[in-house]
Amino acid sequence: MTRGRFEPNCLKMKLTIKDTKGKNQGEMEVKFPLVEDGRGTQAVHDAVVAYQAAQRMGTACTKTMGEVAGTGKKPWRQKGTGRARAGSFASPLWRGGGVVFGPKPRDFTKKISRKTRQLALRKALTERLQAGDVLVLDELKLNSSKTKDFLGVLSALEVKGTALIVSQGVDKNLTLASRNVKNVELASSDSLSTYDVLRPDKLLFTRGAFEQVEARLTKE
């Protein structure tokens, strides 16, 4: 990757395109507007929090005193037994009784605006581009579903650690070849999120997938 010159109100950047053998196949200019200075930091935070909140099931449920199954009969008479007063078998003080202020099923979803999501993704991609963590492949087609072939591609590209491969759609050979490779995940360009961009050490885009993401980020 080579970085372009900084121009007022416009940050230009070019990416080197490689093939599956690691050889250069030219360059492409990043077309979406990069985020300068400290803009977008809060948007990234909001987007990540919203994403993680959406992953929560929200199915935890406890029974209140009124929902516990059992008789409503008073355990023993009010006076004369020498024991403390008790009015119900479902008392929260008793084993098997109700729970006070326990969790109930709820929706943890947090809503953020489309512009905030877009700014967050632009900011996250800008940071990864500037750090040199983005690789663009001219094409990523495997002739077989063998894991060995996929590992050969990663080795040629000198990809180590965790990696996210972003493609235009589902590729059967790629899916099968990568499923047993530790720390490698797949994503599609139309569903790429800010959280996806921030997690891995390296981001591998096919050229078509990167152009699709650019189209998403240039829409007003």
Side-chain angles (χ1 to χ4, degrees):
M1 185 187 75
T2 56
R3 301 182 185 181
R5 294 180 301 169
F6 175 77
E7 300 175 8
N9 300 320
C10 184
L11 192 62
K12 297 293 184 180
M13 184 175 292
K14 289 186 177 181
L15 292 173
T16 300
I17 302 173
K18 296 181 177 291
D19 60 16
T20 53
K21 295 182 180 180
K23 296 181 180 179
N24 292 348
Q25 299 295 318
E27 290 185 338
M28 66 180 296
E29 186 174 320
V30 178
K31 297 178 182 177
F32 71 88
L34 302 180
V35 181
E36 305 169 21
D37 304 322
R39 286 186 63 240
T41 303
Q42 185 61 46
V44 170
H45 173 79
D46 292 344
V48 171
V49 169
Y51 178 89
Q52 292 179 321
Q55 307 309 302
R56 300 184 67 176
M57 296 295 290
T59 55
C61 183
T62 55
K63 291 184 178 180
T64 64
M65 183 174 170
E67 295 170 329
V68 174
T71 178
K73 181 182 177 182
K74 189 173 173 68
W76 50 77
R77 60 194 174 94
Q78 183 81 346
K79 294 178 179 294
T81 64
R83 289 179 289 184
R85 293 170 292 182
S88 172
F89 287 102
S91 170
L93 302 178
W94 287 30
R95 182 169 179 250
V99 177
V100 180
F101 303 127
K104 286 290 185 182
R106 55 171 291 192
D107 182 8
F108 287 94
T109 302
K110 296 180 181 293
K111 293 183 179 181
I112 58 174
S113 68
R114 182 182 61 82
K115 286 189 175 181
T116 300
R117 285 198 307 272
Q118 190 183 56
L119 175 60
L121 185 56
R122 282 174 49 209
K123 173 67 173 179
L125 268 177
T126 298
E127 294 291 336
R128 299 312 301 269
L129 285 166
Q130 291 176 338
D133 297 331
V134 178
L135 294 175
V136 177
L137 301 179
D138 186 36
E139 192 177 35
L140 183 54
K141 292 288 185 181
L142 299 179
N143 296 324
S144 70
S145 59
K146 293 182 179 179
T147 302
K148 180 180 179 181
D149 295 341
F150 178 69
L151 290 175
V153 173
L154 295 183
S155 177
L157 296 172
E158 299 181 352
V159 174
K160 299 178 181 179
T162 58
L164 178 70
I165 299 176
V166 186
S167 59
Q168 286 180 276
V170 178
D171 184 291
K172 185 177 180 181
N173 284 343
L174 180 60
T175 301
L176 293 175
S178 63
R179 64 181 177 177
N180 289 328
V181 180
K182 187 178 180 181
N183 297 328
V184 173
E185 295 182 1
L186 303 181
S188 60
S189 54
D190 57 351
S191 64
L192 186 68
S193 69
T194 302
Y195 185 77
D196 295 331
V197 171
L198 295 176
R199 285 192 67 192
D201 296 323
K202 290 290 183 180
L203 295 167
L204 275 69
F205 288 84
T206 63
R207 182 170 187 168
F210 193 82
E211 289 174 348
Q212 282 190 344
V213 173
E214 284 185 319
R216 281 175 56 189
L217 297 180
T218 52
K219 289 181 180 179
E220 292 295 334

